[in-house]
Amino acid sequence: MNPRFERTLPLMNDRFGLFIHWGLYAIPARGEWVRSGERITNEEYQTYFDEFNPVLYDPRSWAKAAKAAGQRYAVLTTKHHDGFCLFDSQLTDYKATNTPAGRDLIREYVDAFREEGIKVGFYYSLIDWYHDDYPAYGDRQHPMRANESFKNKEMDFDRYLDYMHGQVRELLTNYGKIDIMWFDFSYDDMTGEKWRATELIQMIRSLQPDIVIDNRLGGNIMAEEPEVYAGDFFSPEQIIPPEGIVNSAGEAIPWEACITLNDHWGYHSTDRNYKSPRQVVRAMVECVSKNGNLLLNVGPDAKGEIPEESLDILAAVGKWLHRNGDSIYGCGIAELPKPEWGRYTQRGNKLYAHVFDRGIGPIYFQGLKGRIKKARLLSDGSELHVQTPWMADQYSDTESGAFIHIAGGDLPDELDT
Ligand code: FHN
């Protein structure tokens, strides 16, 4: 691995993390872009600030659910695009401690997840629809800037950058060791040094030398010599790359796919289009088979609870990982081509066969003739027999292959294994 990316190895070995999008937008309950998408004015959105009081917020229960799900790190929105801060920033009044919640929600999150031994990450939005010195996003006039008073206001974007850098400093100074910094997102010409990114990265690295940073500050992580701010891992969203990710020199690039459990990042009261546990497990296996991580998102509601549907899916995935986690944690791409019946993951000389679609009879392992010392069913440890079926030598391509008869069927939807 390119030495530049060695700092990501511990996180990349974790393979499965919890993404959490939570904030004022949980009250309108129509996703985290509701303010922009519905052009909600400052005054209308202020009502959510005035009533935000997640009385059921108990991050210890979130952390326990993540642990039971087999998730080894978490990333929580400290500030999303609406500019509302879940942490007790000294640089703004637009924060949870000034709402009826009256608490530093990030402090409690950090303590609870560390207590469960789960690595702690911060999501931080570069975009800020609330701050007076942040320009309108793209060509759309921000809803809260529709009123006359704002139109004549002079903006000082450097002042916003001082604020943004100052908040990142607060987050990486006041909450102990932080494992991941997840910036979101650069767009159009708002990228790289427009954020004063080199200065920002240097500050981050000085405060948290071991921290891992995503690639959304800008730059090109795929270049042979990426910019200092191009990040430590690539962050595809709602998609799993067709194969492992390599840079222009053919070197593997660490990556993490972030994916929603339903169709929204932030809480959405009517979105019932949840992925099944089977889909999540297959997505996780696919990511690992291509040297990537899966960051799976939940959107807690305005009371501070993760939806039951999400908790049930996380629990089912955790049951599968409890028995099969050896084929995920610390694993990566195999030396063999993808088989037709599923996917391989590999760690050292251990090859894991994830059989998604069973055919008839034994499973055929192309290229493994004479190379399999022993085979075990990971879920229960039972022995599997490497065997060559009767008349198999009549087939043309069995010269290099091996057959293993695996009892049991395909991965069931309910994952009751
Ligand atoms: O605009 C955000 C979106 O709300 C969400 O936070 C995702 C998660 O990666 N990032 C941006 C869209 O790319």
Side-chain angles (χ1 to χ4, degrees):
M1 170 179 275
N2 180 322
R4 173 194 172 93
F5 298 117
E6 282 173 4
R7 69 169 68 241
T8 65
L9 280 173
L11 186 72
M12 291 297 129
N13 282 332
D14 292 334
R15 289 302 184 216
F16 187 35
L18 179 66
F19 211 177
I20 311 166
H21 277 69
W22 191 40
L24 296 182
Y25 42 79
I27 298 176
R30 299 187 294 278
E32 75 292 348
W33 270 73
V34 66
R35 176 166 192 179
S36 176
E38 297 181 14
R39 309 187 76 72
I40 298 174
T41 65
N42 222 356
E43 293 70 27
E44 289 163 346
Y45 207 74
Q46 186 61 29
T47 56
Y48 305 136
F49 180 92
D50 296 340
E51 72 181 71
F52 185 65
N53 189 11
V55 291
L56 300 180
Y57 174 56
D58 175 11
R60 292 164 305 177
S61 66
W62 293 8
K64 290 182 186 319
K67 182 156 190 174
Q71 291 166 312
R72 296 194 168 178
Y73 67 100
V75 179
L76 171 61
T77 48
T78 60
K79 181 194 86 167
H80 204 264
H81 309 335
D82 61 1
F84 175 70
C85 300
L86 278 65
F87 63 105
D88 188 21
S89 171
Q90 301 315 301
L91 303 178
T92 180
D93 293 331
Y94 203 50
K95 57 185 179 178
T97 38
N98 287 352
T99 68
R103 44 208 282 211
D104 185 329
L105 305 170
I106 295 299
R107 166 78 59 202
E108 294 181 43
Y109 151 74
V110 167
D111 293 346
F113 278 73
R114 279 211 194 97
E115 180 69 28
E116 292 298 329
I118 297 175
K119 288 177 185 158
V120 164
F122 289 155
Y123 167 111
Y124 184 84
S125 173
L126 299 166
I127 295 167
D128 193 314
W129 299 329
Y130 184 81
H131 197 283
D132 283 351
D133 292 311
Y134 191 87
Y137 169 41
D139 62 355
R140 285 191 298 176
Q141 178 59 34
H142 273 282
M144 77 294 289
R145 293 172 181 156
N147 59 52
E148 282 313 308
S149 65
F150 197 91
K151 280 190 179 123
N152 309 320
K153 193 172 174 53
E154 54 85 28
M155 282 196 295
D156 177 347
F157 190 58
D158 245 344
R159 197 161 48 197
Y160 169 70
L161 293 180
D162 291 342
Y163 169 80
M164 184 262 277
H165 284 223
Q167 286 205 317
V168 172
R169 178 178 291 276
E170 287 182 308
L171 286 167
L172 301 184
T173 303
N174 301 338
Y175 297 92
K177 184 178 186 311
I178 304 305
D179 299 290
I180 304 125
M181 195 71 206
W182 217 101
F183 287 110
D184 199 25
F185 59 90
S186 292
Y187 62 93
D188 303 342
D189 65 346
M190 283 307 306
T191 185
E193 289 309 336
K194 280 288 187 71
W195 305 116
R196 294 191 338 228
T198 299
E199 174 195 332
L200 184 62
I201 287 292
Q202 288 168 343
M203 182 257 284
I204 293 171
R205 299 278 189 218
S206 68
L207 292 170
Q208 301 273 351
D210 299 328
I211 202 166
V212 172
I213 306 168
D214 73 332
N215 70 312
R216 296 190 179 194
L217 268 174
N220 179 10
I221 193 173
M222 308 288 214
E224 275 196 72
E225 296 295 330
E227 299 82 349
V228 68
Y229 52 75
D232 302 316
F233 65 92
F234 187 66
S235 57
E237 175 172 320
Q238 302 286 44
I239 187 173
I240 297 174
E243 50 196 19
I245 297 176
V246 295
N247 66 9
S248 49
E251 298 166 317
I253 300 284
W255 61 274
E256 168 201 80
C258 55
I259 293 176
T260 53
L261 254 182
N262 54 19
D263 291 336
H264 291 83
W265 299 100
Y267 182 67
H268 194 289
S269 55
T270 61
D271 181 352
R272 289 292 171 272
N273 187 29
Y274 282 89
K275 296 167 180 70
S276 70
R278 176 182 172 150
Q279 283 177 297
V280 172
V281 166
R282 286 196 173 191
M284 185 189 335
V285 167
E286 184 175 355
C287 286
V288 176
S289 77
K290 299 171 181 176
N291 265 347
N293 282 18
L294 173 64
L295 185 65
L296 188 65
N297 182 78
V298 296
D301 61 27
K303 293 263 188 178
E305 291 203 308
I306 295 172
E308 279 305 319
E309 297 95 330
S310 300
L311 291 173
D312 292 344
I313 295 163
L314 289 178
V317 173
K319 274 180 68 179
W320 183 86
L321 275 168
H322 175 66
R323 287 189 167 273
N324 300 282
D326 282 355
S327 68
I328 297 294
Y329 302 122
C331 293
I333 196 165
E335 295 150 7
L336 293 163
K338 179 190 174 308
E340 63 182 10
W341 36 259
R343 292 189 177 278
Y344 287 123
T345 57
Q346 184 165 345
R347 181 181 61 250
N349 69 345
K350 286 250 175 91
L351 181 68
Y352 297 94
H354 298 265
V355 181
F356 290 165
D357 305 303
R358 305 261 345 239
I360 303 294
I363 307 286
Y364 182 62
F365 291 81
Q366 175 73 39
L368 287 181
K369 189 168 193 118
R371 295 174 59 192
I372 300 174
K373 293 189 176 64
K374 64 179 180 178
R376 295 288 180 272
L377 192 63
L378 199 51
S379 57
D380 67 3
S382 57
E383 183 180 23
L384 299 172
H385 298 291
V386 182
Q387 60 185 28
T388 301
W390 177 60
M391 287 185 71
D393 52 1
Q394 310 296 313
Y395 311 145
S396 58
D397 64 352
T398 55
E399 275 317 298
S400 65
F403 290 87
I404 295 183
H405 185 72
I406 293 182
D410 193 355
L411 202 59
D413 254 327
E414 66 284 358
L415 273 190
D416 58 1
T417 45

